[in-house]
Amino acid sequence: MFAQMREDIQAVFERDPAARSTFEVVLTYSGLHAIWGYRIAHRFWKAGWCTLARAVSQFTRFLTGIEIHPGARIGKGLFIDHGMGVVIGETCEIGDNVTIYQGVTLGGTGKEKGKRHPTIGNDVIIATGAKVLGSFKIGDNSKIGAGAVVLQEVPPNSTVVGIKARIVIQDGKRVKCDLDHVNMPDPVADTLRQMQKEIESLRKELDLLREAKKENEHSIH
């Protein structure tokens, strides 16, 4: 376990140019504290002490703002940078030397049982606010763009962006994208147009009712 802790510290120095000393990293890096809390909780989980494992996990979440289920399986060299809001689910598997930024969710869709969470390959980077949801694999050396919502498998050596995430780079080459960036759908504008049509229809009906009322009044007189 101490060897793992040294690897975790080394991962910070390799991937964060702001890290200046081991003392500073050990004292102030909440992502590192969350990983260490997870490693302790995971040992309890494997030993069958599930309630104690969850208690350690929740205490670590309280301290760091990072929630890692003790049942998840995490390799060496994980680096969580500015980790507030990171969530890692129970059946998630994370390979070696993965980098995760704040607000990332490695979760499920709520429609699956058993293996519900993603498997993250080695040397993957998951940028701020990305959501990876479901029991599929993110291939080695892939990058998940900020704010992306990934709902299906990502091949190795790929970069994906967007909602729903799509591949834009694979094996170092740009992938042709059929998305029309000029004429993208605008759900807000579509809703406003529909509301305008309904308002015009109601106005016409109101005018007809007013005319009918006038005719009735005229016939009475």
Side-chain angles (χ1 to χ4, degrees), residues 4-63:
Q4 282 184 326
M5 293 174 70
R6 285 194 295 270
E7 290 171 348
D8 294 332
I9 294 171
Q10 185 60 33
V12 175
F13 282 105
E14 289 174 354
R15 279 170 267 169
D16 187 359
R20 288 184 288 268
S21 70
T22 300
F23 179 76
E24 177 192 38
V25 168
V26 171
L27 185 66
T28 66
Y29 274 63
S30 59
L32 186 64
H33 302 156
I35 294 167
W36 286 350
Y38 154 78
R39 297 205 187 282
I40 294 169
H42 185 62
R43 284 179 172 261
F44 290 141
W45 185 268
K46 289 198 299 183
W49 299 345
C50 297
T51 301
L52 180 58
R54 291 303 302 272
V56 172
S57 174
Q58 290 301 300
F59 180 68
T60 304
R61 177 178 179 268
F62 172 77
L63 293 177

